Amino acid sequence: MKLNIALLPGDGIGPEIVEQAKRVVDAVSEKFGHEINYTEGLVGAVAIDKTGNPYPDKTHDICMNSDAVLFGAIGDPRFDNDPNAPVRPEQGLLAMRKKLGLYANLRPVNTFKSLIHKSPLKTELVDGADFMCVRELTGGIYFGKPQGRSEDGNTAYDSSVYSKDEIIRICKLAFEYAMVRRKKLTIVDKANVLATSRLWRETAQKMEPDYPEVTVEYMFVDNAAMQLIQGPKNFDVMVTENMFGDILTDEASVITGSLGLLPSASIGLHTSVFEPIHGSYPQAAGKNIANPVATILSAAMMFEYAFKLMDEGAMIREAIEKSIDSNIVTEDIAEGVSAKTTSEVGDWIVDYIKSK
Ligand code: IPM
Ligand code: MN
C-alpha cells in the first residue's frame, strides 16, 4: 500500500519518541511492502516559536491530506509557568482535535506480563487487566463557552457543555466496542451533581435497548477513580466525557506500570491521530531517556485502526513485548536491570522486526 503519514513531533520528548516510532513504521513497511511518504508539521510550543500559532493552517492542511497522523507530545514549562501567556501550546492540540473532528479518543489499557511487578498495585489485582477507555474528545469543559475571566480579573469561569448528538455518537462507538469485546460498558459521569452528566445518563439509558447483549453499568467518576485501582479487571469498555477521561486514563496508566506505555487513537470525522497519552516530559527532553513504547504502540494502533493492516500492528506489538521480556527498557520501567536509552529501545525493536 502507499500510505501518507503526517508526523507531528511537537515539544519536549516528542521528537525523540516520534523518531523511534517512525523507524519502526519504516521497518514494518519494508517487511510488508508498503511505501510510506512522510510529511512533517509544526505543532505546540515549537509552532508558536516559529509561526506564532500552535496549530498553523499549514499543519492542518498536512493532516487533512494524510492517511493518518502520528503525534508526539505538546507542552512547554515556559507556558505552564506563565498563566497569562496569550497563546498556549495545548491550544494547538485542542485546535487539531476540533478541526479534524476527533470526537473519540480510544485509550486501551492492558498489562505486560513481564512488567506486572512494576505496578504499585498488587499483582493479583492487575494481572489480566484489559479494558478500553473511550474518552469524548471535542466537547465538555475543554471547549465549552463561555470561558474566561471577569473584567476585574478576580473571577474565572469554564463551562461544560454537551449536546445530545455529541453524547449519542460517542456512546454508540462505546456500545459497539463493548459488542466486540466482553460486552460490558461502564458509563462514567457525575450525574448526582452535573446537568451534562444527567443528559449523558438519560441519553445512554435510551440507547440501551439497541444493544440488549451489553451489560451497562453507570458509575460516578469519584467512585470510578477508586474502582479503577481496586478492581481494574472489572472493566471492559468505559466511556466518559472529555475531562473525566483525561484524568482517569492517567490514573489507569499506574495499572500498567508506566505512563510511558499507554498509546491512544483519536478518531472522528477526518484523518485519525495516533498519540501517546503522556505529555512532553520536558525534564527528559533531548536526553534520550524517554520511553518510546507508548508512541510505538500508537503506531501499531495506526496500522490497525487507520489502515486495517492487522498483521503489521501485530508484528509491532510482538516486537515490543519481546523487547520488554528481554529487559530492553528505559529507566521508567528498568528495575534491577540497567536502563536502555530511547534509541536503544528503538534499535532493538527495529532489529527484531527486520529479523522476522
Ligand atoms: C492528553 C493531554 C492533553 C489533554 C493536554 C496536553 C491538553 O493531557 O492528551 O491527555 O488534556 O487532553
Ligand atoms: Mn492527559
Side-chain angles (χ1 to χ4, degrees):
M1 262 170 105
K2 277 194 171 168
L3 301 165
N4 290 310
I5 297 177
L7 289 180
L8 270 50
D11 304 323
I13 57 169
E16 298 158 56
I17 53 178
V18 166
E19 167 73 27
Q20 299 312 316
K22 175 177 179 283
R23 294 177 59 217
V24 172
V25 169
D26 284 338
V28 161
S29 301
E30 203 181 308
K31 191 110 241 155
F32 286 85
H34 305 302
E35 196 180 307
I36 311 275
N37 175 39
Y38 297 100
T39 315
E40 208 165 299
L42 290 171
V43 70
V46 284
I48 296 176
D49 290 342
K50 291 201 174 128
T51 71
N53 180 349
Y55 184 58
D57 290 345
K58 194 171 161 206
T59 302
H60 182 59
D61 289 342
I62 293 171
C63 292
M64 288 296 283
N65 292 315
S66 299
D67 300 311
V69 179
L70 195 54
F71 188 95
I74 223 167
D76 188 306
R78 282 183 292 152
F79 297 88
D80 296 343
N81 301 329
D82 176 9
N84 294 315
V87 275
R88 318 187 60 78
E90 289 78 6
Q91 287 167 344
L93 182 56
L94 301 189
M96 180 183 77
R97 289 172 178 171
K98 198 69 169 180
K99 284 183 148 182
L100 293 175
L102 303 170
Y103 62 83
N105 185 214
L106 308 173
R107 298 189 160 184
V109 180
N110 17 49
T111 50
F112 291 93
K113 272 261 179 262
S114 51
L115 282 182
I116 295 275
H117 65 282
K118 275 298 298 175
S119 173
L121 304 181
K122 289 200 187 96
T123 298
E124 63 266 29
L125 282 184
V126 294
D127 191 9
D130 168 17
F131 60 91
M132 171 73 90
C133 185
V134 180
R135 170 187 176 194
E136 201 290 330
L137 203 59
T138 52
I141 203 163
Y142 274 56
F143 293 94
K145 298 268 175 340
Q147 183 193 58
R149 288 263 186 124
S150 62
E151 236 159 69
D152 66 6
N154 293 332
T155 309
Y157 39 87
D158 297 284
S159 311
S160 180
V161 181
Y162 270 109
S163 72
K164 219 181 214 170
D165 287 345
E166 286 175 306
I167 299 167
I168 290 173
R169 74 177 172 186
I170 191 77
C171 287
K172 185 168 180 293
L173 204 120
F175 271 109
E176 282 165 4
Y177 269 106
M179 282 301 291
V180 296
R181 291 179 49 103
R182 300 191 303 276
K183 299 192 170 59
K184 180 172 176 192
L185 178 61
T186 307
I187 298 172
V188 175
D189 63 26
K190 188 74 184 170
N192 50 347
V193 177
L194 302 177
T196 42
S197 283
R198 286 191 285 273
L199 185 61
W200 271 73
R201 206 171 265 223
E202 178 193 308
T203 307
Q205 278 169 347
K206 285 195 185 129
M207 295 172 76
E208 277 184 47
D210 295 337
Y211 306 89
E213 288 173 55
V214 177
T215 305
V216 182
E217 137 187 280
Y218 295 87
M219 198 179 274
F220 295 142
V221 62
D222 45 355
N223 184 25
M226 184 180 75
Q227 302 288 342
L228 262 182
I229 297 300
Q230 277 192 337
K233 282 193 273 188
N234 296 331
F235 292 96
D236 177 19
V237 177
M238 169 193 288
V239 63
T240 191
E241 63 105 74
N242 203 343
M243 188 153 94
F244 296 163
D246 179 47
I247 297 168
L248 291 178
T249 47
D250 263 38
E251 187 193 1
S253 75
V254 173
I255 298 164
T256 65
S258 171
L259 192 54
L261 295 169
L262 286 200
S264 85
S266 300
I267 61 175
L269 309 179
H270 304 289
T271 318
S272 300
V273 175
F274 299 84
E275 51 174 318
I277 86 157
H278 61 68
S280 60
Y281 193 13
Q283 305 87 327
K287 294 190 182 153
N288 200 22
I289 57 172
N291 193 341
V293 166
T295 315
I296 299 174
L297 274 174
S298 301
M301 288 185 89
M302 174 177 76
F303 278 105
E304 294 159 351
Y305 287 71
F307 309 147
K308 308 285 174 227
L309 297 171
M310 305 321 241
D311 292 345
E312 287 79 341
M315 176 160 285
I316 298 176
R317 289 176 191 282
E318 180 188 316
I320 289 172
E321 200 139 337
K322 291 283 193 280
S323 71
I324 293 173
D325 288 350
S326 313
N327 287 323
I328 309 298
V329 293
T330 44
E331 62 175 26
D332 53 318
I333 46 175
E335 205 179 78
V337 296
S338 67
K340 297 283 186 281
T341 62
T342 310
S343 52
E344 280 168 345
V345 171
D347 289 343
W348 199 96
I349 292 172
V350 165
D351 287 345
Y352 180 89
I353 291 170
K354 284 189 176 159
S355 76
K356 283 276 117 182

